[in-house]
CSV table of all heavy atoms in Angstrom, one decimal:
chain,number,residue,atom,x,y,z
A,1,GLU,N,-9.2,-1.4,-4.0
A,1,GLU,CA,-9.8,-0.6,-2.9
A,1,GLU,C,-8.9,0.5,-2.4
A,1,GLU,O,-9.3,1.6,-2.1
A,1,GLU,CB,-10.2,-1.6,-1.7
A,1,GLU,CG,-11.1,-1.0,-0.7
A,1,GLU,CD,-12.6,-1.1,-1.2
A,1,GLU,OE1,-12.9,-1.3,-2.3
A,1,GLU,OE2,-13.5,-0.8,-0.3
A,2,GLY,N,-7.6,0.2,-2.3
A,2,GLY,CA,-6.6,1.1,-1.8
A,2,GLY,C,-6.6,2.3,-2.8
A,2,GLY,O,-6.5,3.5,-2.3
A,3,GLU,N,-6.6,2.1,-4.1
A,3,GLU,CA,-6.6,3.1,-5.0
A,3,GLU,C,-7.9,4.0,-4.9
A,3,GLU,O,-7.8,5.2,-5.0
A,3,GLU,CB,-6.5,2.5,-6.5
A,3,GLU,CG,-6.2,3.5,-7.5
A,3,GLU,CD,-5.9,2.9,-8.9
A,3,GLU,OE1,-5.8,1.6,-8.9
A,3,GLU,OE2,-5.8,3.6,-9.9
A,4,LYS,N,-9.0,3.3,-4.7
A,4,LYS,CA,-10.2,4.1,-4.5
A,4,LYS,C,-10.2,5.0,-3.3
A,4,LYS,O,-10.6,6.2,-3.4
A,4,LYS,CB,-11.4,3.1,-4.3
A,4,LYS,CG,-12.8,3.7,-4.2
A,4,LYS,CD,-13.8,2.7,-4.0
A,4,LYS,CE,-14.1,2.4,-2.5
A,4,LYS,NZ,-15.3,1.6,-2.3
A,5,TYR,N,-9.6,4.5,-2.2
A,5,TYR,CA,-9.5,5.4,-1.0
A,5,TYR,C,-8.6,6.6,-1.2
A,5,TYR,O,-8.9,7.6,-0.7
A,5,TYR,CB,-9.0,4.5,0.2
A,5,TYR,CG,-10.0,3.5,0.7
A,5,TYR,CD1,-11.1,3.1,-0.1
A,5,TYR,CD2,-9.9,2.9,1.9
A,5,TYR,CE1,-12.0,2.1,0.4
A,5,TYR,CE2,-10.8,2.0,2.4
A,5,TYR,CZ,-11.8,1.6,1.6
A,5,TYR,OH,-12.7,0.6,2.1
A,6,LEU,N,-7.5,6.4,-1.9
A,6,LEU,CA,-6.6,7.5,-2.2
A,6,LEU,C,-7.4,8.6,-3.0
A,6,LEU,O,-7.2,9.8,-2.7
A,6,LEU,CB,-5.4,7.0,-3.0
A,6,LEU,CG,-4.4,6.1,-2.3
A,6,LEU,CD1,-3.2,5.8,-3.3
A,6,LEU,CD2,-3.9,6.7,-1.0
A,7,GLU,N,-8.2,8.2,-3.9
A,7,GLU,CA,-9.0,9.2,-4.6
A,7,GLU,C,-10.0,9.8,-3.8
A,7,GLU,O,-10.2,11.0,-3.8
A,7,GLU,CB,-9.7,8.5,-5.8
A,7,GLU,CG,-10.4,9.4,-6.7
A,7,GLU,CD,-11.0,8.8,-8.0
A,7,GLU,OE1,-10.6,7.6,-8.2
A,7,GLU,OE2,-11.8,9.4,-8.7
A,8,LEU,N,-10.7,9.0,-2.9
A,8,LEU,CA,-11.8,9.5,-2.1
A,8,LEU,C,-11.2,10.6,-1.1
A,8,LEU,O,-11.9,11.6,-0.8
A,8,LEU,CB,-12.4,8.4,-1.2
A,8,LEU,CG,-13.5,7.5,-1.8
A,8,LEU,CD1,-13.9,6.4,-0.9
A,8,LEU,CD2,-14.7,8.4,-2.1
A,9,PHE,N,-10.0,10.4,-0.6
A,9,PHE,CA,-9.5,11.2,0.4
A,9,PHE,C,-8.5,12.3,-0.1
A,9,PHE,O,-7.7,12.8,0.7
A,9,PHE,CB,-8.9,10.4,1.6
A,9,PHE,CG,-9.9,9.4,2.1
A,9,PHE,CD1,-9.5,8.1,2.3
A,9,PHE,CD2,-11.2,9.8,2.4
A,9,PHE,CE1,-10.5,7.1,2.8
A,9,PHE,CE2,-12.1,8.8,2.9
A,9,PHE,CZ,-11.8,7.5,3.0
A,10,GLY,N,-8.5,12.5,-1.4
A,10,GLY,CA,-7.7,13.6,-2.0
A,10,GLY,C,-6.2,13.3,-2.0
A,10,GLY,O,-5.4,14.2,-2.0
A,11,LEU,N,-5.8,12.0,-2.1
A,11,LEU,CA,-4.4,11.7,-2.1
A,11,LEU,C,-3.9,11.2,-3.4
A,11,LEU,O,-2.7,10.9,-3.6
A,11,LEU,CB,-4.2,10.6,-1.0
A,11,LEU,CG,-4.3,11.0,0.4
A,11,LEU,CD1,-4.4,9.8,1.4
A,11,LEU,CD2,-3.2,12.0,0.8
A,12,THR,N,-4.8,11.1,-4.4
A,12,THR,CA,-4.3,10.7,-5.8
A,12,THR,C,-3.3,11.6,-6.3
A,12,THR,O,-3.4,12.9,-6.3
A,12,THR,CB,-5.5,10.6,-6.7
A,12,THR,OG1,-6.5,9.7,-6.3
A,12,THR,CG2,-5.0,10.2,-8.1
A,13,GLY,N,-2.1,11.1,-6.7
A,13,GLY,CA,-1.0,11.9,-7.2
A,13,GLY,C,-0.2,12.5,-6.1
A,13,GLY,O,0.9,13.1,-6.4
A,14,LYS,N,-0.6,12.3,-4.8
A,14,LYS,CA,0.2,12.9,-3.7
A,14,LYS,C,1.0,11.8,-3.0
A,14,LYS,O,1.8,12.1,-2.1
A,14,LYS,CB,-0.7,13.6,-2.8
A,14,LYS,CG,-1.4,14.8,-3.4
A,14,LYS,CD,-2.4,15.5,-2.4
A,14,LYS,CE,-3.1,16.7,-3.0
A,14,LYS,NZ,-4.0,17.3,-2.1
A,15,VAL,N,0.6,10.6,-3.3
A,15,VAL,CA,1.3,9.4,-2.7
A,15,VAL,C,2.1,8.7,-3.8
A,15,VAL,O,1.6,8.5,-4.9
A,15,VAL,CB,0.3,8.4,-2.1
A,15,VAL,CG1,1.0,7.1,-1.6
A,15,VAL,CG2,-0.5,9.0,-1.0
A,16,ASN,N,3.4,8.4,-3.6
A,16,ASN,CA,4.2,7.7,-4.5
A,16,ASN,C,3.9,6.2,-4.5
A,16,ASN,O,4.1,5.6,-3.5
A,16,ASN,CB,5.7,7.9,-4.2
A,16,ASN,CG,6.1,9.4,-4.2
A,16,ASN,OD1,5.7,10.2,-5.0
A,16,ASN,ND2,6.8,9.8,-3.1
A,17,LEU,N,3.4,5.7,-5.6
A,17,LEU,CA,3.0,4.3,-5.7
A,17,LEU,C,4.2,3.5,-6.2
A,17,LEU,O,4.7,3.7,-7.3
A,17,LEU,CB,1.8,4.1,-6.6
A,17,LEU,CG,0.5,4.9,-6.1
A,17,LEU,CD1,-0.6,4.6,-7.1
A,17,LEU,CD2,0.1,4.5,-4.7
A,18,ALA,N,4.6,2.5,-5.4
A,18,ALA,CA,5.7,1.6,-5.7
A,18,ALA,C,5.2,0.6,-6.8
A,18,ALA,O,4.1,0.1,-6.7
A,18,ALA,CB,6.2,0.9,-4.5
A,19,ASP,N,6.1,0.4,-7.7
A,19,ASP,CA,5.8,-0.6,-8.8
A,19,ASP,C,6.4,-1.9,-8.5
A,19,ASP,O,7.5,-2.3,-8.9
A,19,ASP,CB,6.3,-0.1,-10.1
A,19,ASP,CG,5.9,-1.0,-11.3
A,19,ASP,OD1,5.0,-1.8,-11.1
A,19,ASP,OD2,6.6,-0.9,-12.4
A,20,ALA,N,5.6,-2.7,-7.7
A,20,ALA,CA,6.1,-4.0,-7.2
A,20,ALA,C,5.0,-4.9,-6.8
A,20,ALA,O,3.8,-4.4,-6.6
A,20,ALA,CB,7.1,-3.9,-6.1
A,21,GLU,N,5.2,-6.2,-6.7
A,21,GLU,CA,4.2,-7.1,-6.2
A,21,GLU,C,4.0,-7.0,-4.7
A,21,GLU,O,5.0,-6.8,-4.0
A,21,GLU,CB,4.5,-8.5,-6.6
A,21,GLU,CG,4.6,-8.7,-8.1
A,21,GLU,CD,3.2,-8.6,-8.8
A,21,GLU,OE1,2.2,-8.8,-8.1
A,21,GLU,OE2,3.2,-8.2,-10.0
A,22,LEU,N,2.8,-7.2,-4.2
A,22,LEU,CA,2.6,-7.2,-2.7
A,22,LEU,C,3.4,-8.2,-2.0
A,22,LEU,O,3.8,-8.0,-0.8
A,22,LEU,CB,1.1,-7.4,-2.5
A,22,LEU,CG,0.6,-7.1,-1.0
A,22,LEU,CD1,0.9,-5.6,-0.7
A,22,LEU,CD2,-0.9,-7.4,-0.9
A,23,SER,N,3.7,-9.3,-2.6
A,23,SER,CA,4.5,-10.4,-2.0
A,23,SER,C,5.9,-9.8,-1.6
A,23,SER,O,6.6,-10.4,-0.7
A,23,SER,CB,4.7,-11.6,-2.9
A,23,SER,OG,5.3,-11.2,-4.2
A,24,ASN,N,6.4,-8.7,-2.2
A,24,ASN,CA,7.7,-8.2,-1.9
A,24,ASN,C,7.6,-7.1,-0.8
A,24,ASN,O,8.6,-6.4,-0.5
A,24,ASN,CB,8.3,-7.5,-3.1
A,24,ASN,CG,8.5,-8.6,-4.2
A,24,ASN,OD1,8.9,-9.7,-3.9
A,24,ASN,ND2,8.3,-8.2,-5.5
A,25,ALA,N,6.4,-6.8,-0.3
A,25,ALA,CA,6.2,-5.7,0.6
A,25,ALA,C,7.1,-5.7,1.9
A,25,ALA,O,7.7,-4.7,2.2
A,25,ALA,CB,4.7,-5.6,1.0
A,26,ASN,N,7.2,-6.8,2.5
A,26,ASN,CA,7.9,-6.9,3.8
A,26,ASN,C,9.4,-6.6,3.6
A,26,ASN,O,10.0,-5.9,4.3
A,26,ASN,CB,7.7,-8.2,4.5
A,26,ASN,CG,6.5,-8.1,5.4
A,26,ASN,OD1,6.3,-7.2,6.2
A,26,ASN,ND2,5.6,-9.1,5.2
A,27,ASP,N,10.0,-7.2,2.5
A,27,ASP,CA,11.4,-7.0,2.2
A,27,ASP,C,11.6,-5.5,1.9
A,27,ASP,O,12.6,-4.9,2.3
A,27,ASP,CB,11.9,-7.8,1.1
A,27,ASP,CG,12.0,-9.3,1.5
A,27,ASP,OD1,12.2,-9.6,2.7
A,27,ASP,OD2,12.0,-10.2,0.6
A,28,ALA,N,10.7,-4.9,1.1
A,28,ALA,CA,10.8,-3.5,0.7
A,28,ALA,C,10.7,-2.6,1.9
A,28,ALA,O,11.4,-1.6,2.0
A,28,ALA,CB,9.8,-3.2,-0.4
A,29,LEU,N,9.8,-3.0,2.8
A,29,LEU,CA,9.6,-2.2,4.0
A,29,LEU,C,10.9,-2.2,4.9
A,29,LEU,O,11.4,-1.2,5.4
A,29,LEU,CB,8.4,-2.7,4.8
A,29,LEU,CG,7.8,-1.7,5.8
A,29,LEU,CD1,7.2,-0.5,5.1
A,29,LEU,CD2,6.7,-2.5,6.6
A,30,LYS,N,11.5,-3.4,5.1
A,30,LYS,CA,12.7,-3.5,5.9
A,30,LYS,C,13.9,-2.7,5.3
A,30,LYS,O,14.7,-2.1,6.0
A,30,LYS,CB,13.1,-5.0,5.9
A,30,LYS,CG,12.3,-5.9,6.8
A,30,LYS,CD,12.8,-7.3,6.7
A,30,LYS,CE,11.8,-8.3,7.4
A,30,LYS,NZ,12.3,-9.7,7.2
A,31,ASN,N,13.9,-2.8,3.9
A,31,ASN,CA,15.1,-2.1,3.3
A,31,ASN,C,14.8,-0.6,3.1
A,31,ASN,O,15.7,0.1,2.5
A,31,ASN,CB,15.3,-2.7,1.9
A,31,ASN,CG,15.7,-4.2,2.0
A,31,ASN,OD1,16.2,-4.6,3.0
A,31,ASN,ND2,15.3,-4.9,0.9
A,32,GLY,N,13.7,-0.1,3.5
A,32,GLY,CA,13.4,1.3,3.4
A,32,GLY,C,13.0,1.8,2.0
A,32,GLY,O,13.0,3.0,1.7
A,33,GLN,N,12.8,0.8,1.1
A,33,GLN,CA,12.4,1.2,-0.3
A,33,GLN,C,10.9,1.7,-0.3
A,33,GLN,O,10.6,2.5,-1.2
A,33,GLN,CB,12.5,-0.1,-1.2
A,33,GLN,CG,13.9,-0.6,-1.3
A,33,GLN,CD,13.9,-1.9,-2.0
A,33,GLN,OE1,13.4,-2.9,-1.5
A,33,GLN,NE2,14.5,-2.0,-3.2
A,34,ILE,N,10.1,1.3,0.6
A,34,ILE,CA,8.8,1.9,0.7
A,34,ILE,C,8.5,2.3,2.2
A,34,ILE,O,9.2,1.8,3.1
A,34,ILE,CB,7.7,0.8,0.3
A,34,ILE,CG1,7.8,-0.4,1.2
A,34,ILE,CG2,7.8,0.5,-1.1
A,34,ILE,CD1,6.6,-1.4,1.0
A,35,ASP,N,7.5,3.2,2.3
A,35,ASP,CA,7.1,3.6,3.7
A,35,ASP,C,6.0,2.8,4.2
A,35,ASP,O,5.7,2.8,5.4
A,35,ASP,CB,6.8,5.1,3.7
A,35,ASP,CG,7.9,6.0,3.3
A,35,ASP,OD1,8.9,6.0,4.0
A,35,ASP,OD2,7.8,6.6,2.2
A,36,GLY,N,5.3,2.1,3.3
A,36,GLY,CA,4.1,1.3,3.8
A,36,GLY,C,3.5,0.5,2.7
A,36,GLY,O,3.9,0.6,1.5
A,37,PHE,N,2.5,-0.2,3.0
A,37,PHE,CA,1.8,-1.0,2.0
A,37,PHE,C,0.3,-1.2,2.4
A,37,PHE,O,0.0,-1.0,3.6
A,37,PHE,CB,2.4,-2.4,1.7
A,37,PHE,CG,2.4,-3.3,2.9
A,37,PHE,CD1,1.4,-4.2,3.1
A,37,PHE,CD2,3.5,-3.3,3.8
A,37,PHE,CE1,1.4,-5.1,4.2
A,37,PHE,CE2,3.5,-4.2,4.9
A,37,PHE,CZ,2.5,-5.1,5.1
A,38,VAL,N,-0.5,-1.5,1.4
A,38,VAL,CA,-1.9,-1.7,1.6
A,38,VAL,C,-2.3,-3.1,1.3
A,38,VAL,O,-1.9,-3.6,0.2
A,38,VAL,CB,-2.8,-0.7,0.8
A,38,VAL,CG1,-4.3,-1.0,1.0
A,38,VAL,CG2,-2.4,0.7,1.1
A,39,THR,N,-3.0,-3.8,2.2
A,39,THR,CA,-3.3,-5.2,1.9
A,39,THR,C,-4.7,-5.4,2.4
A,39,THR,O,-5.2,-4.8,3.4
A,39,THR,CB,-2.3,-6.1,2.6
A,39,THR,OG1,-2.6,-7.5,2.2
A,39,THR,CG2,-2.3,-6.0,4.1
A,40,ALA,N,-5.4,-6.4,1.8
A,40,ALA,CA,-6.7,-6.8,2.3
A,40,ALA,C,-6.8,-8.3,2.4
A,40,ALA,O,-6.3,-9.0,1.6
A,40,ALA,CB,-7.8,-6.3,1.3
A,41,GLY,N,-7.3,-8.7,3.5
A,41,GLY,CA,-7.5,-10.1,3.8
A,41,GLY,C,-8.1,-10.3,5.2
A,41,GLY,O,-8.4,-9.4,5.8
A,42,SER,N,-8.2,-11.6,5.6
A,42,SER,CA,-8.7,-11.8,6.9
A,42,SER,C,-7.7,-11.3,8.0
A,42,SER,O,-6.5,-11.2,7.7
A,42,SER,CB,-8.9,-13.3,7.1
A,42,SER,OG,-7.7,-14.0,6.8
A,43,TRP,N,-8.2,-11.0,9.1
A,43,TRP,CA,-7.3,-10.6,10.2
A,43,TRP,C,-7.2,-11.7,11.3
A,43,TRP,O,-8.2,-12.3,11.5
A,43,TRP,CB,-7.6,-9.2,10.8
A,43,TRP,CG,-9.0,-9.2,11.5
A,43,TRP,CD1,-10.2,-8.9,11.0
A,43,TRP,CD2,-9.2,-9.5,12.9
A,43,TRP,NE1,-11.2,-9.0,12.0
A,43,TRP,CE2,-10.6,-9.3,13.1
A,43,TRP,CE3,-8.3,-9.9,13.9
A,43,TRP,CZ2,-11.1,-9.6,14.4
A,43,TRP,CZ3,-8.9,-10.1,15.2
A,43,TRP,CH2,-10.3,-10.0,15.4
A,44,PRO,N,-6.1,-11.8,11.9
A,44,PRO,CA,-4.8,-11.2,11.7
A,44,PRO,C,-4.2,-11.6,10.4
A,44,PRO,O,-4.1,-12.8,10.1
A,44,PRO,CB,-3.9,-11.6,12.9
A,44,PRO,CG,-4.5,-12.8,13.3
A,44,PRO,CD,-6.0,-12.8,13.0
A,45,ALA,N,-3.7,-10.6,9.6
A,45,ALA,CA,-3.1,-10.9,8.3
A,45,ALA,C,-1.6,-11.4,8.4
A,45,ALA,O,-0.9,-10.7,9.1
A,45,ALA,CB,-3.2,-9.7,7.4
C-alpha cells in the first residue's frame, strides 16, 4: 500500500527506500539511518 501511495502522489523515485525489514524500523529511526517508516495494522500500533 505504501508503494502504491508513493506512485499515486508522484513520489516514486523521489523517496529513498531503505532495504531492511520493518521489524528494524525503530532502531533505524533512533540511529538516524532512516527518516521514517510506513506500517499498517490496528491502531494504536
Side-chain angles (χ1 to χ4, degrees):
E1 196 79 348
E3 191 172 351
K4 181 181 95 172
Y5 289 18
L6 293 182
E7 183 175 350
L8 275 176
F9 306 131
L11 291 168
T12 301
K14 298 177 181 179
V15 174
N16 303 316
L17 299 180
D19 184 17
E21 297 294 333
L22 191 60
S23 57
N24 299 323
N26 275 308
D27 286 339
L29 200 66
K30 287 178 191 175
N31 297 334
Q33 294 170 294
I34 60 173
D35 298 299
F37 63 91
V38 178
T39 186
S42 54
W43 65 268

